[in-house]
Amino acid sequence: MFLIINKNFCLESVKYILKSGVFFALTVILLYAPIMIFRGYESIIYNRYVAPLDHLSIHEAFNHITISFTEVLGGKIISLLVLLLVVFYTIVKRRFVILVLFLIPIILMLVLKQTPFSRVFLPLATVVVVIAIADLKDGFKNTKQLNPMIYILFIGVSIATSTFLFFKNPNGGLETSYRVKYLSKHFDNRDVYLTPNTHDYLKTPIEAYLQVNEINYTLLNKDTKLKEGAILIYSEKNIENIKILDSVPSLNKKVYVGKVVF
């Protein structure tokens, strides 16, 4: 991609990119080594969460990258503004090669028939934000210098708004931790049961939380007898003798915390 975009490409650029590629490839292998050793290659190669889809249209791929940008940039409004800035200056400055940045992931999705997690697009979103900021800076060059307090105020309002939106509807890398922490207020000093078919997106981090905090819990099976007042963590909505205390979204499902009441 960089070789295509770079007009002044030379042999040194190729050598540098190849060296960087080898370095990052070895780093990734090193970081994944413990998983491959203890869990086998299947945990990476046959990960069902990124399995190829039966069908993926151009519209679905484009829609996925749009939603992903919304998540990694912190909301629809800011992502729309950033994208509009980039598109506007791309047309004004006639540097259409930037459109390759958006075209490549869409083509890869169509070829692989996969829609990756939103975090995959974080590096691309960062590049787009940098381009948008650089364009804005160029746009202000010929205007009167702005008061520094405007920048401070803008940053303050942005941080406050982002914080409010995150706690209202958490998303991104901290989503799982936030939701497990939210449910954890029901776990202490009680008998805790966890159903095996609790949605995997939250089941593993919930188990990790229980183990790290030394909270005794039992994986539910058909022979388990629930105790009065015990806590049950599950994904099926309708279970007898359970009073729902709380719930959180888990991708396209929900994880519930209920109290056993006979």
Side-chain angles (χ1 to χ4, degrees):
M1 183 182 67
F2 285 108
L3 291 176
I4 293 170
I5 294 174
N6 187 5
K7 293 179 180 178
N8 302 317
F9 126 89
C10 61
L11 188 59
E12 288 301 315
S13 299
V14 177
K15 289 180 180 178
Y16 178 76
I17 291 172
L18 288 175
K19 286 180 182 177
S20 301
V22 170
F23 170 77
F24 286 115
L26 291 175
T27 303
V28 170
I29 291 170
L30 179 65
L31 292 173
Y32 272 102
I35 298 174
M36 291 187 287
I37 291 170
F38 293 104
R39 300 292 297 273
Y41 293 100
E42 291 79 8
S43 59
I44 298 172
I45 298 172
Y46 297 109
N47 184 343
R48 67 180 182 276
Y49 297 111
V50 290
L53 303 170
D54 294 331
H55 175 266
L56 183 65
S57 66
I58 294 176
H59 176 264
E60 289 169 333
F62 180 79
N63 190 49
H64 181 75
I65 196 172
T66 304
I67 294 171
S68 297
F69 262 81
T70 298
E71 291 187 17
V72 299
L73 291 180
K76 292 180 180 178
I77 297 174
I78 190 170
S79 60
L80 182 62
L81 288 174
V82 169
L83 290 173
L84 285 176
L85 273 172
V86 173
V87 171
F88 173 75
Y89 280 104
T90 295
I91 295 171
V92 169
K93 297 184 179 182
R94 306 183 68 83
R95 36 173 210 196
F96 300 109
V97 72
I98 287 179
L99 297 178
V100 175
L101 291 172
F102 300 98
L103 194 59
I104 288 175
I106 292 175
I107 291 173
L108 285 174
M109 279 191 276
L110 292 171
V111 171
L112 300 173
K113 287 187 170 51
Q114 290 176 310
T115 52
F117 296 117
S118 298
R119 60 178 174 265
V120 172
F121 294 101
L122 186 58
L124 178 56
T126 304
V127 171
V128 172
V129 169
V130 169
I131 291 171
I133 292 172
D135 286 334
L136 275 180
K137 184 180 176 183
D138 290 340
F140 284 125
K141 269 186 179 178
N142 299 321
T143 61
K144 187 177 179 181
Q145 188 174 4
L146 297 177
N147 190 318
M149 283 303 298
I150 293 178
Y151 295 109
I152 296 171
L153 182 64
F154 176 76
I155 292 169
V157 171
S158 298
I159 292 172
T161 305
S162 298
T163 304
F164 171 77
L165 290 174
F166 172 77
F167 283 105
K168 186 179 179 182
N169 183 25
N171 61 61
L174 294 175
E175 175 189 4
T176 303
S177 299
Y178 179 83
R179 287 175 176 161
V180 172
K181 186 67 177 175
Y182 175 79
L183 294 178
S184 68
K185 60 189 175 186
H186 301 290
F187 299 165
D188 297 336
N189 303 319
R190 297 172 185 264
D191 293 308
V192 177
Y193 296 89
L194 179 63
T195 59
N197 54 354
T198 300
H199 197 229
D200 285 350
Y201 188 66
L202 284 181
K203 180 187 173 186
T204 301
I206 285 174
E207 276 199 273
Y209 179 90
L210 294 170
Q211 292 171 8
V212 168
N213 290 278
E214 298 181 344
I215 299 173
N216 292 324
Y217 70 99
T218 304
L219 284 174
L220 198 67
N221 59 55
K222 61 181 180 180
D223 299 320
T224 304
K225 293 183 179 180
L226 296 174
K227 298 179 181 178
E228 174 79 24
I231 291 296
L232 179 66
I233 306 166
Y234 60 104
S235 287
E236 307 87 351
K237 190 172 183 180
N238 299 316
I239 298 183
E240 293 182 0
N241 303 321
I242 300 295
K243 178 184 177 182
I244 297 177
L245 301 177
D246 253 321
S247 67
V248 294
S250 178
L251 293 182
N252 60 338
K253 294 189 178 182
K254 278 192 174 183
V255 169
Y256 299 92
V257 170
K259 183 180 180 181
V260 180
V261 180
F262 292 110

